[in-house]
Amino acid sequence: MANDSIYIRGVGSELAVRRPISEAVASGECPPEIAERTGTESVSVSERMSGVELAAAAARNALRDAAIAGSRIDLIAHSNVYYQGHDLWSPSAYIQRETGAADAVAVEIRQMSNGGMAGIDLAAAYLTGRDRDLALVTTGDRFVGPGFDRWISDPGTIYGDGGTALILSRTSGFAVFRSFVQIADANLEAMHRGTDPFGVAPFSVRPRVDLDPLKKAYLAGTNVLAAVEKVRRGQERVIARSLDEAGVKISDIDWFVLPHFGVRRLRSTFLRPLNIDIERTTWDFARTVGHLGAGDQFAGLAHLRARDLLRTGDAVLFAGVGAGFSWSAAVLEIL
């Protein structure tokens, strides 16, 4: 990406209706200590639409924002974290059909919460390597029971339902990537697997996603401080490299679009280590929708654009992290 300009031509999101966190606490679904620890005000909760349907709606919104027809798309890269609604079935092909992108190559990416960012990286490589112009990168998830408990499956982060989309172009757009960096450390892969055996079908080992005991089992068999340091250093390294490749300092960044963690996790992972003021982030938006799986960065950008908060020349930093582990960071310039 350093030698070939990649632009963002359109952005879109489709978020479910916000449910006040106070309602979930009153009903007993969300423990009050979780609500307090995360600082969440409300969460996007879909009562009907699946994650991939939300992604397709977001894609149509992004196409309208870009003022192009779906038939012009060369590549669709769809990222997700959780169940998409059918078995032995292609969510990316559904988005292809729903957007009228009949001639596009459609693929699915499973990079967990870093999936949307990985989609950008891979789509950019496809466009430049194949001499194509337009890619549609989408994310979409609905975190619903019985397999997932949005309030406690991942302590410290509350999950929301929504779809997001970006239109990438090699020729024009409202923003251009000045850098994009991804790094990984597979030595941390077992942190989200623990010591559980491999199952024969979904939820054949545990009845629902529960990351806390998996992380504890992993950390019990390793050097805890070393593991924590690896996670911290991965994030710092990828951001430092992205800033360096873009030729900017962290003080030059106007907006930080970060993962929608709870506020304590956000402070310990990003704000304190990088000395970032929370007012320069999209936290005020994030705390109203929850963690959107792979789509936090796209949703944050859509929020800034929809509210006319972006100015010509602004520098925007995306940061992402996903189980595996992988980290990403990118610097955008608003044109």
Side-chain angles (χ1 to χ4, degrees):
M1 192 176 288
N3 299 318
D4 296 275
S5 293
I6 296 293
Y7 300 86
I8 297 180
R9 182 154 175 175
V11 62
S13 64
E14 186 73 18
L15 304 178
V17 174
R18 269 80 150 179
R19 182 183 180 192
I21 193 75
S22 57
E23 288 186 6
V25 172
S27 68
E29 297 167 87
C30 178
E33 61 272 18
I34 295 292
E36 181 181 356
R37 184 191 313 160
T38 61
T40 304
E41 290 183 355
S42 58
V43 184
S44 296
V45 177
S46 174
E47 298 295 341
R48 181 181 61 84
M49 293 180 71
S50 67
V52 71
E53 289 174 299
L54 292 165
R60 290 189 288 269
N61 293 338
L63 289 167
R64 281 192 290 271
D65 186 45
I68 61 171
S71 58
R72 293 184 55 191
I73 296 296
D74 299 298
L75 172 74
I76 295 172
H78 175 61
S79 298
N80 55 77
V81 171
Y82 190 57
Y83 186 61
Q84 295 291 283
H86 292 280
D87 302 302
L88 288 176
W89 169 76
S90 173
S92 58
Y94 175 84
I95 295 170
Q96 181 182 16
R97 185 180 65 79
E98 286 290 306
T99 55
D103 296 326
V105 173
V107 297
E108 184 178 3
I109 297 171
R110 297 280 289 177
Q111 195 69 359
M112 305 310 291
S113 294
N114 201 31
M117 295 289 282
I120 294 174
D121 201 12
L122 295 174
Y126 181 90
L127 293 180
T128 55
R130 297 294 183 92
D131 194 24
R132 299 290 190 267
D133 181 31
L134 294 166
L136 168 63
V137 184
T138 63
T139 78
D141 271 299
R142 181 189 182 202
F143 297 100
V144 66
F148 200 103
D149 187 326
R150 71 177 73 250
W151 316 106
I152 61 173
S153 277
D154 185 5
T157 297
I158 295 176
Y159 285 63
D161 306 332
T164 71
L166 286 186
I167 308 290
L168 302 183
S169 170
R170 289 182 64 203
T171 56
S172 64
F174 69 84
V176 63
F177 284 97
R178 295 305 183 197
S179 68
F180 194 105
V181 179
Q182 272 202 102
I183 63 173
D185 186 345
N187 291 314
L188 296 167
E189 167 270 325
M191 187 178 290
H192 288 70
R193 177 169 55 86
T195 56
D196 282 9
F198 285 88
V200 297
F203 304 108
S204 59
V205 177
R206 292 179 182 271
R208 66 170 172 81
V209 175
D210 191 357
L211 297 184
D212 196 40
L214 301 180
K215 291 179 181 178
K216 288 178 178 176
Y218 168 78
L219 292 173
T222 189
N223 184 314
V224 175
L225 293 179
V228 171
E229 179 65 10
K230 281 184 178 182
V231 174
R232 185 189 67 80
R233 284 292 299 147
Q235 198 71 72
E236 290 186 3
R237 281 175 52 216
V238 78
I239 290 175
R241 280 182 53 188
S242 186
L243 292 169
D244 183 60
E245 289 189 9
V248 298
K249 301 185 295 294
I250 202 161
S251 58
D252 297 323
I253 300 299
D254 298 285
W255 288 102
F256 293 86
V257 183
L258 307 174
H260 295 182
F261 296 152
V263 69
R264 289 191 185 181
R265 185 177 286 181
L266 186 70
R267 286 194 176 114
S268 64
T269 306
F270 293 101
L271 304 186
R272 281 198 297 266
L274 299 170
N275 195 26
I276 298 172
D277 190 341
I278 199 169
E279 281 73 29
R280 294 166 65 197
T281 76
T282 48
W283 166 245
D284 278 350
F285 162 70
R287 70 188 305 183
T288 70
V289 296
H291 178 43
L292 303 172
D296 292 345
Q297 296 80 12
F298 299 4
L301 183 65
H303 166 77
L304 293 174
R305 184 157 164 79
R307 283 151 186 77
D308 198 27
L309 295 173
L310 300 172
R311 299 289 178 263
T312 301
D314 276 0
V316 179
L317 186 138
F318 282 176
V321 56
F325 258 64
S326 66
W327 301 266
S328 59
V331 175
L332 291 174
E333 180 185 349
I334 304 301
L335 303 177

